[in-house]
Amino acid sequence: MIVEIECLPTPPGTADVEFEHVERAIAVIQQSGLRYEVGALGSTVEGDPDELWPLLRRVHEACLESGADSLVSIIKVGQRAVDDGTPWMEGLTAPFRNGDPPL
């Protein structure tokens, strides 16, 4: 399964750290041990559904726990009916990475 989460906390951070609440959410993803990529407008994580669903909640709640007044999280989920173990992120994005020739 693959998920993307974009957290939009209000405010996005503190006077000292402009995007502190978002950074706290990213830290939760980093600590998960799952394969992930942080993008400019969201983070993508790949793994087993039993790991990803609870992770999405922890990422969302991390923004609130770090002091955001309110939060909207936008979540996209992709899942195959039969998991053949093929990684999603690499197959979906490799042909479009900077410097990589198209397939």
mmCIF file of all heavy atoms in Angstrom, residues 8 31 41-42 60 89 98:
data_model
loop_
_atom_site.group_PDB
_atom_site.id
_atom_site.type_symbol
_atom_site.label_atom_id
_atom_site.label_comp_id
_atom_site.label_asym_id
_atom_site.label_seq_id
_atom_site.Cartn_x
_atom_site.Cartn_y
_atom_site.Cartn_z
ATOM 1 N N LEU A 8 -1.792 20.430 6.993
ATOM 2 C CA LEU A 8 -1.942 21.878 6.869
ATOM 3 C C LEU A 8 -2.348 22.466 8.220
ATOM 4 O O LEU A 8 -3.508 22.818 8.449
ATOM 5 C CB LEU A 8 -2.999 22.199 5.806
ATOM 6 C CG LEU A 8 -2.714 21.623 4.408
ATOM 7 C CD1 LEU A 8 -3.944 21.732 3.527
ATOM 8 C CD2 LEU A 8 -1.530 22.333 3.796
ATOM 9 N N GLN A 31 10.562 8.172 11.970
ATOM 10 C CA GLN A 31 10.740 7.206 13.048
ATOM 11 C C GLN A 31 9.994 5.904 12.812
ATOM 12 O O GLN A 31 10.198 4.933 13.533
ATOM 13 C CB GLN A 31 10.301 7.825 14.377
ATOM 14 C CG GLN A 31 11.168 8.989 14.798
ATOM 15 C CD GLN A 31 10.540 9.830 15.890
ATOM 16 O OE1 GLN A 31 9.480 9.507 16.419
ATOM 17 N NE2 GLN A 31 11.189 10.934 16.236
ATOM 18 N N LEU A 41 5.030 19.253 -1.072
ATOM 19 C CA LEU A 41 3.628 19.451 -0.692
ATOM 20 C C LEU A 41 3.020 18.256 0.019
ATOM 21 O O LEU A 41 1.801 18.181 0.168
ATOM 22 C CB LEU A 41 2.795 19.794 -1.935
ATOM 23 C CG LEU A 41 3.197 21.076 -2.647
ATOM 24 C CD1 LEU A 41 2.379 21.250 -3.917
ATOM 25 C CD2 LEU A 41 3.017 22.278 -1.730
ATOM 26 N N GLY A 42 3.841 17.322 0.466
ATOM 27 C CA GLY A 42 3.321 16.163 1.173
ATOM 28 C C GLY A 42 4.377 15.088 1.272
ATOM 29 O O GLY A 42 5.432 15.164 0.639
ATOM 30 N N HIS A 60 -0.964 12.899 11.747
ATOM 31 C CA HIS A 60 -1.971 13.953 11.892
ATOM 32 C C HIS A 60 -1.938 14.534 13.310
ATOM 33 O O HIS A 60 -1.867 15.752 13.494
ATOM 34 C CB HIS A 60 -3.354 13.362 11.563
ATOM 35 C CG HIS A 60 -4.488 14.297 11.782
ATOM 36 N ND1 HIS A 60 -4.911 15.180 10.823
ATOM 37 C CD2 HIS A 60 -5.295 14.484 12.863
ATOM 38 C CE1 HIS A 60 -5.937 15.875 11.288
ATOM 39 N NE2 HIS A 60 -6.191 15.469 12.523
ATOM 40 N N MET A 89 6.626 3.350 -4.927
ATOM 41 C CA MET A 89 7.222 4.672 -5.109
ATOM 42 C C MET A 89 8.250 4.670 -6.229
ATOM 43 O O MET A 89 8.233 5.548 -7.090
ATOM 44 C CB MET A 89 7.868 5.169 -3.817
ATOM 45 C CG MET A 89 6.865 5.706 -2.843
ATOM 46 S SD MET A 89 7.623 6.586 -1.467
ATOM 47 C CE MET A 89 8.272 5.236 -0.523
ATOM 48 N N ASN A 98 14.772 14.133 -11.565
ATOM 49 C CA ASN A 98 15.735 15.021 -12.219
ATOM 50 C C ASN A 98 17.014 14.258 -12.540
ATOM 51 O O ASN A 98 17.557 13.570 -11.691
ATOM 52 C CB ASN A 98 16.083 16.208 -11.304
ATOM 53 C CG ASN A 98 14.927 17.174 -11.179
ATOM 54 O OD1 ASN A 98 14.081 17.261 -12.054
ATOM 55 N ND2 ASN A 98 14.895 17.897 -10.088
#
